[in-house]
mmCIF file of all heavy atoms in Angstrom:
data_model
loop_
_atom_site.group_PDB
_atom_site.id
_atom_site.type_symbol
_atom_site.label_atom_id
_atom_site.label_comp_id
_atom_site.label_asym_id
_atom_site.label_seq_id
_atom_site.Cartn_x
_atom_site.Cartn_y
_atom_site.Cartn_z
ATOM 1 N N LEU A 1 82.786 87.629 71.460
ATOM 2 C CA LEU A 1 81.834 87.417 70.391
ATOM 3 C C LEU A 1 80.879 86.296 70.760
ATOM 4 O O LEU A 1 81.269 85.320 71.392
ATOM 5 C CB LEU A 1 82.544 87.062 69.086
ATOM 6 C CG LEU A 1 83.621 88.027 68.595
ATOM 7 C CD1 LEU A 1 84.148 87.560 67.243
ATOM 8 C CD2 LEU A 1 83.090 89.447 68.519
ATOM 9 N N SER A 2 79.630 86.443 70.344
ATOM 10 C CA SER A 2 78.622 85.425 70.566
ATOM 11 C C SER A 2 78.030 84.991 69.239
ATOM 12 O O SER A 2 77.914 85.789 68.306
ATOM 13 C CB SER A 2 77.497 85.951 71.462
ATOM 14 O OG SER A 2 77.980 86.302 72.741
ATOM 15 N N CYS A 3 77.667 83.732 69.165
ATOM 16 C CA CYS A 3 76.999 83.167 68.002
ATOM 17 C C CYS A 3 75.751 82.465 68.493
ATOM 18 O O CYS A 3 75.845 81.512 69.280
ATOM 19 C CB CYS A 3 77.922 82.197 67.275
ATOM 20 S SG CYS A 3 77.135 81.297 65.917
ATOM 21 N N ALA A 4 74.601 82.923 68.048
ATOM 22 C CA ALA A 4 73.327 82.352 68.458
ATOM 23 C C ALA A 4 72.706 81.597 67.296
ATOM 24 O O ALA A 4 72.572 82.137 66.197
ATOM 25 C CB ALA A 4 72.381 83.442 68.938
ATOM 26 N N ALA A 5 72.334 80.361 67.545
ATOM 27 C CA ALA A 5 71.682 79.536 66.541
ATOM 28 C C ALA A 5 70.185 79.491 66.800
ATOM 29 O O ALA A 5 69.749 79.411 67.944
ATOM 30 C CB ALA A 5 72.254 78.124 66.544
ATOM 31 N N SER A 6 69.420 79.536 65.736
ATOM 32 C CA SER A 6 67.973 79.446 65.851
ATOM 33 C C SER A 6 67.421 78.645 64.681
ATOM 34 O O SER A 6 68.135 78.317 63.735
ATOM 35 C CB SER A 6 67.331 80.835 65.897
ATOM 36 O OG SER A 6 67.596 81.554 64.702
ATOM 37 N N GLY A 7 66.138 78.343 64.749
ATOM 38 C CA GLY A 7 65.517 77.532 63.727
ATOM 39 C C GLY A 7 65.490 76.077 64.146
ATOM 40 O O GLY A 7 65.207 75.764 65.297
ATOM 41 N N SER A 8 65.803 75.203 63.216
ATOM 42 C CA SER A 8 65.810 73.767 63.480
ATOM 43 C C SER A 8 67.141 73.375 64.099
ATOM 44 O O SER A 8 68.063 72.926 63.407
ATOM 45 C CB SER A 8 65.555 72.985 62.192
ATOM 46 O OG SER A 8 64.313 73.339 61.617
ATOM 47 N N THR A 9 67.233 73.535 65.408
ATOM 48 C CA THR A 9 68.509 73.377 66.108
ATOM 49 C C THR A 9 68.673 72.038 66.812
ATOM 50 O O THR A 9 69.670 71.840 67.500
ATOM 51 C CB THR A 9 68.693 74.503 67.130
ATOM 52 O OG1 THR A 9 67.627 74.468 68.077
ATOM 53 C CG2 THR A 9 68.721 75.850 66.438
ATOM 54 N N LEU A 10 67.741 71.123 66.647
ATOM 55 C CA LEU A 10 67.818 69.861 67.365
ATOM 56 C C LEU A 10 69.068 69.070 67.021
ATOM 57 O O LEU A 10 69.622 68.376 67.875
ATOM 58 C CB LEU A 10 66.576 69.013 67.093
ATOM 59 C CG LEU A 10 65.266 69.522 67.680
ATOM 60 C CD1 LEU A 10 64.127 68.586 67.275
ATOM 61 C CD2 LEU A 10 65.356 69.624 69.192
ATOM 62 N N SER A 11 69.536 69.159 65.785
ATOM 63 C CA SER A 11 70.690 68.388 65.349
ATOM 64 C C SER A 11 71.900 69.253 65.037
ATOM 65 O O SER A 11 72.850 68.782 64.422
ATOM 66 C CB SER A 11 70.335 67.560 64.114
ATOM 67 O OG SER A 11 69.962 68.396 63.032
ATOM 68 N N ILE A 12 71.900 70.503 65.476
ATOM 69 C CA ILE A 12 72.964 71.421 65.092
ATOM 70 C C ILE A 12 74.245 71.159 65.873
ATOM 71 O O ILE A 12 74.216 70.789 67.053
ATOM 72 C CB ILE A 12 72.523 72.885 65.266
ATOM 73 C CG1 ILE A 12 73.473 73.816 64.517
ATOM 74 C CG2 ILE A 12 72.441 73.254 66.746
ATOM 75 C CD1 ILE A 12 72.955 75.220 64.390
ATOM 76 N N ASN A 13 75.362 71.339 65.200
ATOM 77 C CA ASN A 13 76.679 71.257 65.809
ATOM 78 C C ASN A 13 77.409 72.571 65.564
ATOM 79 O O ASN A 13 77.750 72.888 64.423
ATOM 80 C CB ASN A 13 77.488 70.111 65.220
ATOM 81 C CG ASN A 13 76.878 68.762 65.499
ATOM 82 O OD1 ASN A 13 76.695 68.380 66.656
ATOM 83 N ND2 ASN A 13 76.553 68.027 64.452
ATOM 84 N N LEU A 14 77.605 73.334 66.608
ATOM 85 C CA LEU A 14 78.386 74.566 66.515
ATOM 86 C C LEU A 14 79.856 74.183 66.549
ATOM 87 O O LEU A 14 80.315 73.561 67.508
ATOM 88 C CB LEU A 14 78.039 75.505 67.661
ATOM 89 C CG LEU A 14 76.616 76.068 67.628
ATOM 90 C CD1 LEU A 14 76.230 76.617 68.990
ATOM 91 C CD2 LEU A 14 76.497 77.146 66.564
ATOM 92 N N ILE A 15 80.593 74.525 65.510
ATOM 93 C CA ILE A 15 81.928 73.960 65.367
ATOM 94 C C ILE A 15 83.070 74.965 65.446
ATOM 95 O O ILE A 15 84.199 74.562 65.727
ATOM 96 C CB ILE A 15 82.064 73.149 64.071
ATOM 97 C CG1 ILE A 15 81.919 74.038 62.846
ATOM 98 C CG2 ILE A 15 81.049 72.016 64.042
ATOM 99 C CD1 ILE A 15 82.244 73.311 61.553
ATOM 100 N N GLY A 16 82.828 76.246 65.181
ATOM 101 C CA GLY A 16 83.971 77.131 65.292
ATOM 102 C C GLY A 16 83.784 78.512 64.711
ATOM 103 O O GLY A 16 82.714 78.880 64.226
ATOM 104 N N TRP A 17 84.879 79.277 64.764
ATOM 105 C CA TRP A 17 84.936 80.649 64.302
ATOM 106 C C TRP A 17 85.953 80.809 63.189
ATOM 107 O O TRP A 17 87.032 80.206 63.239
ATOM 108 C CB TRP A 17 85.311 81.599 65.450
ATOM 109 C CG TRP A 17 84.256 81.749 66.487
ATOM 110 C CD1 TRP A 17 84.081 80.992 67.603
ATOM 111 C CD2 TRP A 17 83.228 82.747 66.505
ATOM 112 N NE1 TRP A 17 83.005 81.457 68.323
ATOM 113 C CE2 TRP A 17 82.461 82.534 67.670
ATOM 114 C CE3 TRP A 17 82.877 83.795 65.664
ATOM 115 C CZ2 TRP A 17 81.367 83.328 68.012
ATOM 116 C CZ3 TRP A 17 81.791 84.590 65.993
ATOM 117 C CH2 TRP A 17 81.049 84.348 67.156
ATOM 118 N N PHE A 18 85.615 81.640 62.218
ATOM 119 C CA PHE A 18 86.489 82.005 61.121
ATOM 120 C C PHE A 18 86.506 83.525 61.011
ATOM 121 O O PHE A 18 85.646 84.210 61.565
ATOM 122 C CB PHE A 18 86.001 81.390 59.804
ATOM 123 C CG PHE A 18 86.055 79.890 59.765
ATOM 124 C CD1 PHE A 18 85.175 79.125 60.513
ATOM 125 C CD2 PHE A 18 86.993 79.239 58.978
ATOM 126 C CE1 PHE A 18 85.222 77.738 60.481
ATOM 127 C CE2 PHE A 18 87.055 77.851 58.935
ATOM 128 C CZ PHE A 18 86.169 77.103 59.692
ATOM 129 N N ARG A 19 87.479 84.051 60.282
ATOM 130 C CA ARG A 19 87.521 85.490 60.073
ATOM 131 C C ARG A 19 88.059 85.796 58.686
ATOM 132 O O ARG A 19 88.768 84.996 58.078
ATOM 133 C CB ARG A 19 88.371 86.190 61.134
ATOM 134 C CG ARG A 19 89.862 85.894 61.053
ATOM 135 C CD ARG A 19 90.598 86.529 62.219
ATOM 136 N NE ARG A 19 92.032 86.298 62.167
ATOM 137 C CZ ARG A 19 92.878 86.626 63.128
ATOM 138 N NH1 ARG A 19 92.430 87.210 64.244
ATOM 139 N NH2 ARG A 19 94.174 86.377 62.995
ATOM 140 N N GLN A 20 87.707 86.967 58.194
ATOM 141 C CA GLN A 20 88.182 87.419 56.900
ATOM 142 C C GLN A 20 88.570 88.884 57.007
ATOM 143 O O GLN A 20 87.729 89.740 57.266
ATOM 144 C CB GLN A 20 87.127 87.224 55.816
ATOM 145 C CG GLN A 20 87.638 87.505 54.415
ATOM 146 C CD GLN A 20 86.714 86.971 53.339
ATOM 147 O OE1 GLN A 20 85.538 86.696 53.600
ATOM 148 N NE2 GLN A 20 87.228 86.803 52.145
ATOM 149 N N ALA A 21 89.853 89.147 56.816
ATOM 150 C CA ALA A 21 90.378 90.499 56.835
ATOM 151 C C ALA A 21 90.320 91.087 55.428
ATOM 152 O O ALA A 21 90.262 90.350 54.441
ATOM 153 C CB ALA A 21 91.811 90.505 57.353
ATOM 154 N N PRO A 22 90.345 92.410 55.316
ATOM 155 C CA PRO A 22 90.307 93.031 53.984
ATOM 156 C C PRO A 22 91.418 92.517 53.086
ATOM 157 O O PRO A 22 92.586 92.486 53.479
ATOM 158 C CB PRO A 22 90.486 94.521 54.290
ATOM 159 C CG PRO A 22 89.961 94.678 55.678
ATOM 160 C CD PRO A 22 90.358 93.419 56.384
ATOM 161 N N GLY A 23 91.051 92.099 51.883
ATOM 162 C CA GLY A 23 92.019 91.627 50.917
ATOM 163 C C GLY A 23 92.567 90.242 51.165
ATOM 164 O O GLY A 23 93.482 89.823 50.455
ATOM 165 N N LYS A 24 92.022 89.531 52.144
ATOM 166 C CA LYS A 24 92.517 88.207 52.471
ATOM 167 C C LYS A 24 91.400 87.167 52.396
ATOM 168 O O LYS A 24 90.221 87.503 52.400
ATOM 169 C CB LYS A 24 93.135 88.189 53.870
ATOM 170 C CG LYS A 24 94.368 89.056 54.024
ATOM 171 C CD LYS A 24 94.972 88.893 55.405
ATOM 172 C CE LYS A 24 96.237 89.706 55.552
ATOM 173 N NZ LYS A 24 96.839 89.538 56.903
ATOM 174 N N GLN A 25 91.808 85.905 52.326
ATOM 175 C CA GLN A 25 90.859 84.810 52.335
ATOM 176 C C GLN A 25 90.327 84.582 53.742
ATOM 177 O O GLN A 25 90.962 84.934 54.731
ATOM 178 C CB GLN A 25 91.509 83.523 51.836
ATOM 179 C CG GLN A 25 91.851 83.505 50.362
ATOM 180 C CD GLN A 25 92.407 82.169 49.941
ATOM 181 O OE1 GLN A 25 93.592 81.897 50.092
ATOM 182 N NE2 GLN A 25 91.537 81.315 49.417
ATOM 183 N N ARG A 26 89.149 83.967 53.814
ATOM 184 C CA ARG A 26 88.622 83.578 55.104
ATOM 185 C C ARG A 26 89.518 82.510 55.717
ATOM 186 O O ARG A 26 89.938 81.568 55.034
ATOM 187 C CB ARG A 26 87.193 83.051 54.951
ATOM 188 C CG ARG A 26 86.484 82.799 56.270
ATOM 189 C CD ARG A 26 85.015 82.459 56.054
ATOM 190 N NE ARG A 26 84.283 83.544 55.417
ATOM 191 C CZ ARG A 26 82.970 83.548 55.229
ATOM 192 N NH1 ARG A 26 82.236 82.523 55.631
ATOM 193 N NH2 ARG A 26 82.390 84.574 54.626
ATOM 194 N N GLU A 27 89.816 82.653 56.987
ATOM 195 C CA GLU A 27 90.717 81.734 57.652
ATOM 196 C C GLU A 27 90.122 81.209 58.947
ATOM 197 O O GLU A 27 89.303 81.867 59.591
ATOM 198 C CB GLU A 27 92.062 82.404 57.950
ATOM 199 C CG GLU A 27 91.971 83.549 58.942
ATOM 200 C CD GLU A 27 93.322 84.156 59.279
ATOM 201 O OE1 GLU A 27 94.352 83.623 58.836
ATOM 202 O OE2 GLU A 27 93.348 85.181 59.996
ATOM 203 N N LEU A 28 90.566 80.030 59.321
ATOM 204 C CA LEU A 28 90.147 79.426 60.574
ATOM 205 C C LEU A 28 90.734 80.182 61.750
ATOM 206 O O LEU A 28 91.921 80.510 61.757
ATOM 207 C CB LEU A 28 90.590 77.965 60.613
ATOM 208 C CG LEU A 28 90.383 77.238 61.935
ATOM 209 C CD1 LEU A 28 88.895 77.022 62.191
ATOM 210 C CD2 LEU A 28 91.117 75.905 61.931
ATOM 211 N N VAL A 29 89.913 80.446 62.749
ATOM 212 C CA VAL A 29 90.364 81.051 63.994
ATOM 213 C C VAL A 29 90.400 80.020 65.107
ATOM 214 O O VAL A 29 91.414 79.853 65.787
ATOM 215 C CB VAL A 29 89.477 82.240 64.398
ATOM 216 C CG1 VAL A 29 89.908 82.798 65.748
ATOM 217 C CG2 VAL A 29 89.521 83.327 63.333
ATOM 218 N N ALA A 30 89.279 79.327 65.316
ATOM 219 C CA ALA A 30 89.187 78.376 66.411
ATOM 220 C C ALA A 30 88.112 77.344 66.123
ATOM 221 O O ALA A 30 87.082 77.664 65.529
ATOM 222 C CB ALA A 30 88.879 79.088 67.730
ATOM 223 N N LEU A 31 88.362 76.117 66.553
ATOM 224 C CA LEU A 31 87.411 75.024 66.434
ATOM 225 C C LEU A 31 87.136 74.440 67.810
ATOM 226 O O LEU A 31 88.005 74.456 68.688
ATOM 227 C CB LEU A 31 87.945 73.911 65.535
ATOM 228 C CG LEU A 31 88.181 74.231 64.063
ATOM 229 C CD1 LEU A 31 88.835 73.035 63.375
ATOM 230 C CD2 LEU A 31 86.879 74.597 63.371
ATOM 231 N N ILE A 32 85.936 73.895 67.978
ATOM 232 C CA ILE A 32 85.595 73.181 69.200
ATOM 233 C C ILE A 32 84.871 71.910 68.804
ATOM 234 O O ILE A 32 83.951 71.931 67.991
ATOM 235 C CB ILE A 32 84.770 74.061 70.165
ATOM 236 C CG1 ILE A 32 84.552 73.339 71.493
ATOM 237 C CG2 ILE A 32 83.453 74.502 69.529
ATOM 238 C CD1 ILE A 32 84.089 74.281 72.602
ATOM 239 N N SER A 33 85.298 70.790 69.363
ATOM 240 C CA SER A 33 84.765 69.494 68.979
ATOM 241 C C SER A 33 83.561 69.124 69.820
ATOM 242 O O SER A 33 83.192 69.812 70.773
ATOM 243 C CB SER A 33 85.846 68.420 69.116
ATOM 244 O OG SER A 33 86.046 68.078 70.479
ATOM 245 N N SER A 34 82.963 67.993 69.474
ATOM 246 C CA SER A 34 81.816 67.494 70.237
ATOM 247 C C SER A 34 82.193 67.146 71.666
ATOM 248 O O SER A 34 81.324 67.134 72.539
ATOM 249 C CB SER A 34 81.216 66.270 69.548
ATOM 250 O OG SER A 34 82.156 65.219 69.450
#
């Protein structure tokens, strides 16, 4: 999977991935720090 950021990206911090399965709450999958 890829995540592309656009717009005002000078100060953006890409921090991680989440997922939501049918009938379930959104959950953390993976985080990446600075």
Side-chain angles (χ1 to χ4, degrees):
L1 306 184
S2 298
C3 174
S6 62
S8 301
T9 60
L10 291 178
S11 62
I12 196 168
N13 296 301
L14 293 162
I15 65 172
W17 291 89
F18 295 71
R19 68 185 181 187
Q20 188 165 19
K24 296 184 178 181
Q25 291 184 276
R26 188 172 298 186
E27 65 177 354
L28 172 70
V29 176
L31 295 175
I32 186 164
S33 76
S34 61

